Amino acid sequence: MIRVVVADDQALVRMGLRTLIETEKGVVFAGEAADGREALRLIQSVKPDVVFLDIRMPLMDGLEVLRRVSADPALAEVKIVVLTTFDLDEYVFEALRTGASGFLVKDSDPADLLRAVHVVADGGSLLSPSVTRRVIDRFASGASARPVPHLDKLTEREREIMRHVASGASNDEIAATLVISPATVRTHVSRAMVKLGARDRAQLVVFAVQSGLT
């Protein structure tokens, strides 16, 4: 069962997500929070699989919650999906850089929200090619000035695949382009994540942007 926590200061948003989650088989609604401090306490207590986290919340904003969760080894398995009002919220790139597994606009289709739960719980990320391109275009100039530790440990093949990941390509698409198997792509992606200390595929995209590989 996938345990999901919702953290948002809007009661209507929390109610809508709770109702949606409770209708999905294999998913359990594990709690809700109306402010950042409450959200952090709930996450530390429940250790959910997936958290829908609003950025703009009272007492402690979502970015600070995300930083604390990402820095806590006990919460390493917690996957966070950032909820935004606009598809390119000014904090989106910082959220991805800090450890979010992706982001969704609050008025997303219910099917997309439920799909997000399964994708993120399975280790995937919520970054479509179009969204990835726009995030890179808007934020790369500021992000590229920040060095990425251990980038020199990557092999040339890992760097090449990392560039494809940053373009939003799936493992199957990368495999077709490079004429290798999807399993080989997954292996290279996993190794790159381990070497760079990336929590998931979304953070690997961020590292690619920061390092200038894009």
Side-chain angles (χ1 to χ4, degrees):
M1 301 295 285
I2 302 172
R3 296 166 302 146
V4 181
V5 159
V6 174
D8 194 292
D9 63 344
Q10 297 180 40
L12 190 59
V13 172
R14 297 197 306 275
M15 182 180 68
L17 286 172
R18 177 172 189 162
T19 301
L20 182 65
I21 291 166
E22 289 179 338
T23 66
E24 181 73 354
K25 291 182 179 179
V27 180
V28 175
F29 187 82
E32 63 182 70
D35 63 69
R37 289 180 186 173
E38 183 182 4
L40 183 59
R41 286 195 296 268
L42 182 60
I43 293 169
Q44 291 169 333
S45 173
V46 175
K47 293 183 175 63
D49 300 295
V50 178
V51 178
F52 283 116
L53 179 68
D54 187 20
I55 289 295
R56 297 181 176 93
M57 289 190 294
L59 301 183
M60 180 188 296
D61 66 31
L63 282 178
E64 183 59 28
V65 174
L66 181 55
R67 290 188 190 99
R68 298 194 186 194
V69 171
S70 298
D72 188 344
L75 303 176
E77 300 304 314
V78 177
K79 305 298 183 182
I80 296 192
V81 177
V82 172
L83 294 175
T84 69
T85 304
F86 305 103
D87 61 356
L88 271 181
D89 187 288
E90 61 183 302
Y91 300 111
V92 163
F93 192 86
E94 182 61 30
L96 294 176
R97 180 161 50 202
T98 305
S101 293
F103 67 97
L104 286 173
V105 181
K106 289 185 180 181
D107 61 358
S108 294
D109 186 275
D112 290 335
L113 290 165
L114 291 177
R115 173 179 169 274
V117 172
H118 294 283
V119 168
V120 172
D122 196 39
S125 62
L126 301 171
L127 290 174
S128 67
S130 62
V131 170
T132 301
R133 185 73 262 162
R134 284 184 294 159
V135 168
I136 289 173
D137 288 344
R138 179 164 175 177
F139 298 103
S141 60
S144 59
R146 302 180 63 165
V148 177
H150 311 303
L151 187 67
D152 58 336
K153 293 183 178 180
L154 297 184
T155 65
E156 284 304 313
R157 178 61 99 181
E158 287 164 355
R159 285 170 179 258
E160 182 179 25
I161 288 179
M162 192 170 165
R163 279 193 289 270
H164 284 285
V165 169
S167 74
S170 67
N171 287 346
D172 288 342
E173 291 168 337
I174 297 172
T177 299
L178 300 180
V179 196
I180 56 179
S181 72
T184 299
V185 174
R186 285 194 294 273
T187 298
H188 285 304
V189 169
S190 296
R191 287 176 178 170
M193 287 172 57
V194 169
K195 289 178 181 179
L196 299 180
R199 286 170 59 96
D200 52 27
R201 198 180 184 94
Q203 201 167 38
L204 198 63
V205 171
V206 173
F207 288 162
V209 176
Q210 291 181 202
S211 65
L213 287 178
T214 54

